[in-house]
Amino acid sequence: DQALVMVDGVELNDPMNPSRGFDLGWLSLANVERIEVIRGPQSTIYGSDAIAGVINIITRAGTEKPAFTLAAEGGSFNTWNFRGEVAGEHKNLRYSLAVAQAYSSGFSAADERFGNTEADGMRDTSANGKFQYVFNPQLDATVTFRLSNGRVDLDNWGGPYGDDPNYRQWQRRASALAELHYAHPSGFWQQSAQFSYAGTDRDYRNDVDPDHPVDRSEGNYTGILRKVSWQNLFFPVKGHVVTAGYEYEEETGSSWYRSEGAWGPYEEQFPGRSAS
């Protein structure tokens, strides 16, 4: 919960998650080239989300001749994963695109030792892309995006009678980044300007069923993170770097929750609020 998670430099931690963490279970690895991890406090550069470290997931950049990949995986609990990727380079443009779908019938989220046998499955569809245009050896521009839409079945609790056949969560994520990078021919100075956006929309719904004839609930949680940054790297002496820059970040969140049960109706509203 105290680690900052980024994809191609876009911060993905959800402002409306009480722990401020990012749920890695929703992240497809289609088109991912490598994952970089910095352990320990990194708040000086990356902010308070990076108290425990930074996880930066980097997708592939297209190089050389166009290449196309199709892959399918299967496993226990009727689990399937399909993905298609294309990447290449055309003159000054490098590109990569990927589409993936994951599906599983799953097993009971509540402990089966207490008689909970109803399977809780999931499905998720995602797409991501990266486009880089090289104007000259010193100047290039990059645009990335990532979209995902998924559903997961839930249970009420882990103990006896925790099964719930129609308790579900839907989650939609969207993120994008635009970056302009310049390196001075002398090698003394590099700078980059970025704009990034990340949004998460979570819906929960639990309708009545034979085991819970009077209990019903639903809710929504929406978090958005926008950031503009300008970073400068100076290399005055070999093996040393001086970093300076400016960053403006704004996060927005809202939620609502409604329930009906034996104790009567209940409703809670958190109207849109923002911090910068």
Side-chain angles (χ1 to χ4, degrees):
D1 291 341
Q2 304 300 327
L4 176 65
V5 178
M6 303 189 298
V7 173
D8 292 325
V10 181
E11 298 182 12
L12 297 182
N13 294 52
D14 183 3
M16 285 303 291
N17 186 328
S19 65
R20 191 66 184 190
F22 174 74
D23 187 353
L24 289 165
W26 289 103
L27 185 66
S28 167
L29 293 182
N31 212 32
V32 169
E33 179 182 80
R34 66 186 190 275
I35 300 175
E36 298 178 347
V37 179
I38 308 176
R39 301 178 185 274
Q42 306 295 330
S43 299
T44 301
I45 294 178
Y46 294 101
S48 58
D49 290 326
I51 292 174
V54 179
I55 302 171
N56 188 25
I57 301 163
I58 300 171
T59 58
R60 292 185 179 89
T63 57
E64 301 177 350
K65 296 180 180 180
F68 185 73
T69 302
L70 284 176
E73 300 170 300
S76 303
F77 309 108
N78 192 29
T79 300
W80 296 93
N81 189 9
F82 305 97
R83 73 179 189 272
E85 304 173 10
V86 60
E89 183 176 3
H90 179 69
K91 295 183 179 179
N92 291 358
L93 177 65
R94 300 171 181 172
Y95 61 89
S96 66
L97 292 166
V99 177
Q101 185 172 58
Y103 171 86
S104 178
S105 296
F107 49 86
S108 179
D111 198 327
E112 293 184 355
R113 293 177 301 174
F114 296 105
N116 302 298
T117 59
E118 178 260 334
D120 296 296
M122 62 80 66
R123 69 167 183 246
D124 180 62
T125 302
S126 63
N128 66 78
K130 176 187 284 187
F131 301 89
Q132 183 181 46
Y133 191 85
V134 180
F135 296 95
N136 54 56
Q138 285 76 48
L139 182 66
D140 62 80
T142 302
V143 175
T144 70
F145 73 90
R146 176 173 289 267
L147 305 169
S148 70
N149 188 345
R151 191 199 81 183
V152 62
D153 297 334
L154 305 173
D155 282 332
N156 290 320
W157 51 78
Y161 309 107
D163 265 346
D164 196 314
N166 55 12
Y167 186 13
R168 295 185 175 93
Q169 177 199 138
W170 290 265
Q171 187 159 178
R172 293 165 293 277
R173 293 181 180 272
S175 63
L177 175 139
E179 178 182 21
L180 191 65
H181 176 262
Y182 172 76
H184 194 271
S186 66
F188 174 76
W189 174 38
Q190 294 183 20
Q191 63 171 321
S192 61
Q194 289 186 351
F195 170 78
S196 65
Y197 167 92
T200 303
D201 186 55
R202 290 181 283 128
D203 286 308
Y204 295 83
R205 187 177 180 92
N206 189 2
D207 291 324
V208 296
D209 57 75
D211 293 332
H212 310 87
V214 296
D215 296 324
R216 182 184 181 277
S217 64
E218 59 181 338
N220 171 267
Y221 302 84
T222 301
I224 297 174
L225 184 63
R226 302 179 182 91
K227 187 172 74 170
V228 176
S229 66
W230 178 42
Q231 187 177 75
N232 296 265
L233 303 177
F234 301 95
F235 305 89
V237 181
K238 185 178 181 179
H240 294 75
V241 60
V242 177
T243 303
Y246 170 82
E247 179 178 283
Y248 177 81
E249 186 174 306
E250 181 185 66
E251 59 183 43
T252 304
S254 63
S255 70
W256 58 265
Y257 174 80
R258 290 190 291 266
S259 67
E260 299 173 6
W263 304 102
Y266 174 79
E267 184 170 349
E268 182 178 353
Q269 293 276 350
F270 180 76
R273 295 286 187 271
S274 63
S276 60

